[in-house]
Amino acid sequence: MQKSYGEQSTTEQLSHDFIEAVAIKALFPHEPTRRAFLKSVGTGTAMAAIASVLPIASLQEAAALDKLNPEKKQVNIGFLPILCATPLIMADPMGFYQEQGLKANLLKRAGWALVRDQMVNRELDATHFLAPMPIAISLGLGSAQQDMKVAAIQNTNGQALVMSLKHKDNRDPKNWKGMTFAIPFEHSMHNYLLRYFLAEHGLDPDKDVKLRLTTPPDMIANLKAGNIDGFFGPEPFNQRAVWDKAGYIHTLSQDIWNGHPCCSFGTSQSFINENPQTFLAMNRAIIKANIMANDRTIRHGLSTLLSKPNYLNQPELVLRQSLMGRFADGVENIQDFPDRMSFDVLPWYSVAVWMMTQMKRWGYLKESVNYQDIAEKVFMLTDAKKQMQLMGYPVKDKLSKDGSGLASGYPSFSVMGKAFDPSNPNEYLNSFAIGHKG
């Protein structure tokens, strides 16, 4: 859809504001010094001075010296209107796709099943995926089998368990037997983390509660109508439930697993084979946006940019609370969690292994698999590191546990205090009292 002149002007101005903020921060990393400098000379004078020693246009030109030659000059990229898609979305108004020689058509979709089907049918060139989806599609779980790839993780943390206000005095999950919860998709971190959370509190998610697949925009309406007791969903819908006085934030996903991935950028192996330069161009644009989104100093402007109707179409304040981590929780408290939402590019293999243990735990994956082979086939960790290095970004590797025999890329982590060793996934899987066995 063609943007109006006003929309274009607003977007362009926000893009300029972003670039200016990043340039000023680069020269004045010490915040008090930066504030004092801007106060004394003004932003306009500051940018004029900075441009004389650090010309932004020249920097952008230099960044594009390693020019790609995309086979497709125009690409269709799907996304759901949630904050997890922030890097993929902001790369458009920031001009990062254009820098790589692409015109990106960002196509808003209502639900994950449609995204899956359009990727399998090649109606989309690439998409914003839930991170487990490419694994599931590659394994033929819930759809026709097709090799899919996770090129980059879009976001970490940034999800939550929201409960109806009628349950504000019933916060102990042990008392939730018989309740109904909404999740956005079976192969989602929302489903896996909610199941894990309930099981750790003694509830079997397949017997003691009902889990209902619901698109994120419909979660709040169902909560208001009393059709569900709670939902485990993405931002900004958790915060929007508070805004609409429909529910309260019971548990942030970071309290279950701090640093967990949620969404990703990906495409099919066949698209990469046929359009390798186009794929690299998209991936570089999104990596650049991802790294910029992790800079908290631009989050305020980012919330304004993303609030526009063609992107998330949400109140700016709702987005700001989600992105900044200072928020009303729905039960008269102001919470402050700066890491409520972060953005981490690298798709670690051990994360893919953990996802597959949950697929097996809950009966989605019934046969034995070689966890490491699939993780390294679907998650493009080596390629992501290479692109980051070529673009001049530092890459901090995470080594596997000593003595595991696994290469780097398999860091251990903990979920609700229980350590996960990626070298022993079946041992981990069999350690749970609740879940499918065999």
Side-chain angles (χ1 to χ4, degrees):
M1 185 170 68
Q2 185 69 33
K3 297 176 187 175
S4 69
Y5 174 77
E7 285 180 310
Q8 287 177 325
S9 299
T10 302
T11 298
E12 288 168 4
Q13 183 58 52
L14 287 165
S15 298
H16 288 310
D17 291 346
F18 272 140
I19 293 168
E20 289 180 1
V22 172
I24 291 171
K25 187 184 178 189
L27 285 180
F28 300 97
H30 185 240
E31 187 175 349
T33 303
R34 184 166 66 247
R35 284 202 305 264
F37 172 71
L38 291 174
K39 185 177 180 180
S40 64
V41 303
T43 302
T45 303
M47 286 311 301
I50 289 170
S52 68
V53 296
L54 188 66
I56 294 169
S58 297
L59 286 175
Q60 291 174 330
E61 184 178 344
L65 286 178
D66 180 19
K67 202 70 177 173
L68 296 170
N69 185 23
E71 298 83 4
K72 293 186 70 170
K73 307 300 182 185
Q74 189 168 167
V75 289
N76 293 327
I77 305 176
F79 77 97
L80 259 66
I82 58 178
L83 276 172
C84 305
T86 291
L88 185 150
I89 295 170
M90 65 182 277
D92 185 28
M94 295 296 292
F96 297 161
Y97 295 115
Q98 294 92 319
E99 284 179 3
Q100 300 295 333
L102 291 176
K103 181 182 186 304
N105 300 317
L106 301 186
L107 305 176
K108 191 185 296 189
R109 295 294 179 254
W112 292 111
L114 179 60
V115 167
R116 175 199 61 201
D117 294 345
Q118 291 192 334
M119 281 299 297
V120 169
N121 296 332
R122 304 198 65 171
E123 296 171 53
L124 294 171
D125 296 312
T127 193
H128 162 210
F129 269 130
L130 292 161
M133 282 177 68
I135 299 174
I137 298 170
S138 296
L139 291 170
L141 304 181
S143 70
Q145 189 280 330
Q146 194 173 124
D147 290 341
M148 293 286 168
K149 301 290 186 178
V150 170
I153 295 298
Q154 289 278 277
N155 69 296
T156 55
N157 295 339
Q159 320 306 304
L161 171 59
V162 174
M163 298 295 292
S164 169
L165 286 174
K166 68 183 179 182
H167 297 306
K168 66 180 181 179
D169 297 320
N170 181 18
R171 301 195 185 194
D172 188 346
K174 292 183 176 68
N175 300 325
W176 293 352
K177 207 167 190 178
M179 288 190 182
T180 300
F181 296 90
I183 52 173
F185 197 69
E186 285 182 330
H187 296 296
S188 66
M189 291 301 292
H190 311 87
N191 183 26
Y192 301 159
L193 291 178
L194 177 59
R195 285 173 171 271
Y196 196 109
F197 180 81
L198 292 172
E200 287 297 294
H201 287 91
L203 298 181
D204 187 326
D206 288 316
K207 298 175 181 176
D208 296 327
V209 300
K210 293 180 181 178
L211 300 183
R212 179 181 296 177
L213 296 182
T214 309
T215 61
D218 290 331
M219 289 178 172
I220 297 173
N222 276 278
L223 197 66
K224 280 184 172 180
N227 298 327
I228 58 175
D229 296 283
F231 65 80
F232 204 110
E235 297 301 344
F237 293 99
N238 307 311
Q239 199 60 49
R240 183 64 191 259
V242 174
W243 175 276
D244 289 347
K245 296 181 171 54
Y248 71 95
I249 295 173
H250 182 282
T251 301
L252 295 178
S253 60
Q254 71 178 58
D255 294 331
I256 300 172
W257 172 5
N258 194 14
H260 74 84
C262 182
C263 289
S264 64
F265 164 69
T267 188
S268 64
Q269 181 63 60
S270 59
F271 182 88
I272 297 173
N273 292 344
E274 296 166 16
N275 306 280
Q277 293 273 295
T278 307
F279 164 69
L280 285 178
M282 286 190 288
N283 203 21
R284 287 186 183 184
I286 289 168
I287 287 172
K288 183 173 181 178
N290 200 309
I291 290 168
M292 179 176 282
N294 225 18
D295 182 350
R296 288 182 52 79
T297 64
I298 69 165
R299 296 282 181 92
H300 192 291
L302 194 52
S303 62
T304 303
L305 177 68
L306 295 171
S307 69
K308 303 303 175 188
N310 51 320
Y311 297 137
L312 302 193
N313 193 28
Q314 293 285 342
E316 185 274 333
L317 180 57
V318 170
L319 300 183
R320 193 196 322 160
Q321 289 183 78
S322 300
L323 284 168
M324 299 299 292
R326 183 171 175 79
F327 58 94
D329 65 4
V331 282
E332 301 181 357
N333 300 308
I334 300 297
Q335 306 277 1
D336 198 353
F337 289 91
D339 294 330
R340 179 178 181 178
M341 173 162 273
S342 298
F343 302 91
D344 184 2
V345 173
L346 294 174
W348 300 106
Y349 297 137
S350 54
V351 165
V353 173
W354 185 87
M355 292 174 186
M356 283 182 276
T357 67
Q358 302 310 294
M359 292 177 184
K360 285 197 65 95
R361 181 182 182 185
W362 304 115
Y364 300 114
L365 177 58
K366 301 187 186 302
E367 64 269 15
S368 297
V369 294
N370 187 314
Y371 296 98
Q372 286 79 30
D373 280 357
I374 296 169
E376 293 175 26
K377 180 181 179 183
V378 178
F379 274 37
M380 302 178 70
L381 176 62
T382 300
D383 299 79
K385 288 180 182 178
K386 179 181 178 181
Q387 292 308 312
M388 287 181 67
Q389 290 167 339
L390 287 172
M391 295 169 73
Y393 296 122
V395 176
K396 293 182 180 179
D397 208 350
K398 294 182 180 179
L399 300 177
S400 59
K401 186 178 178 181
D402 290 344
S404 70
L406 297 176
S408 65
Y410 286 91
S412 299
F413 47 81
S414 293
V415 183
M416 292 187 72
K418 186 180 180 72
F420 174 63
D421 179 357
S423 66
N424 291 301
N426 283 322
E427 181 181 324
Y428 177 79
L429 177 62
N430 291 326
S431 70
F432 294 106
I434 298 176
H436 297 250
K437 296 294 181 181

